[in-house]
Amino acid sequence: MSARVVLQQADIARALTRISHEILESNRGAEGLVLLGIPTRGVILADRIARIIADISGSPIDAGSLDVTMYRDDLAKHPTRTPSPTHIPASGIDGKTVVLVDDVLYSGRTIRAALDAIGDIGRPRAVRLATLVDRGHRELPIRPDFVGKNLPSAQTERINVRLAELDGADLVSIDAAVL
């Protein structure tokens, strides 16, 4: 496989700063905002966005994680998924604007599972979606509200997001599949 780097550290930082400003503008400030990252890299991105929003607004932002493993509709195909802990901020999500954060939006099935999981936890005022990369190929009518980079890709390609906290460096690459 040949990998092509499409976003580097500075590009990712700019995208997250832009997403943070867009979230603040859409929410008309930081009040009542909760960020929930979808494991694994979505949690890291949610924490980064929460820090950026806190720096911009001067208000701390609640951030947590939302594991969707048991809500997925493809467990029969991929039974080896290991659940991650869900962490909902102590203030909860009822009546709040919840921003789901994920690294790559593809078919929309992960987000559908996240919406089901949120429904079991509480009743937010609104749910929004932020993603670092939107690669297209949606199978469900799900669309992100905040996007770092639209990256049209072939279904045979793989989008790899690497983040310093897990992988030692920030970058996004596309791996072309060998057929």
Side-chain angles (χ1 to χ4, degrees):
M1 281 197 237
S2 63
R4 178 173 49 108
V5 174
V6 291
L7 295 174
Q8 296 187 10
Q9 181 180 5
D11 303 315
I12 292 171
R14 263 192 311 278
L16 295 179
T17 299
R18 183 173 26 80
I19 287 170
S20 300
H21 281 282
E22 290 172 358
I23 290 170
L24 274 172
E25 184 177 332
S26 171
N27 196 59
R28 296 187 175 130
E31 189 174 333
L33 193 58
V34 175
L35 302 179
L36 293 179
I38 297 173
T40 299
R41 286 167 181 80
V43 175
I44 295 168
L45 294 172
D47 288 340
R48 288 186 188 185
I49 292 169
R51 283 193 303 272
I52 294 168
I53 290 174
D55 288 346
I56 296 166
S57 69
S59 302
I61 299 299
D62 288 334
S65 62
L66 181 68
D67 181 69
V68 301
T69 303
M70 300 313 294
Y71 293 89
R72 295 193 60 93
D73 62 2
D74 60 357
L75 281 177
K77 288 183 182 177
H78 306 285
T80 58
R81 294 181 193 273
T82 303
S84 298
T86 289
H87 170 72
I88 303 301
S91 63
I93 63 170
D94 291 335
K96 307 278 180 78
T97 297
V98 172
V99 179
L100 292 172
V101 181
D102 205 2
D103 56 350
V104 177
L105 179 59
Y106 182 37
S107 68
R109 293 189 178 280
T110 299
I111 304 309
R112 187 222 34 95
L115 293 170
D116 288 347
I118 284 175
D120 282 351
I121 294 167
R123 182 154 167 64
R125 182 180 65 76
V127 178
R128 305 284 183 252
L129 174 58
T131 186
L132 180 60
V133 174
D134 181 355
R135 68 173 292 185
H137 304 291
R138 219 76 77 238
E139 296 172 7
L140 299 170
I142 290 174
R143 171 176 70 87
D145 299 283
F146 315 105
V147 179
K149 177 80 171 167
N150 286 298
L151 240 160
S153 58
Q155 287 186 323
T156 57
E157 293 176 316
R158 178 168 175 80
I159 307 291
N160 294 304
V161 174
R162 302 286 178 235
L163 298 174
E165 293 87 338
L166 285 177
D167 309 302
D170 285 356
L171 67 91
V172 175
S173 64
I174 298 177
D175 288 343
V178 177
L179 299 175

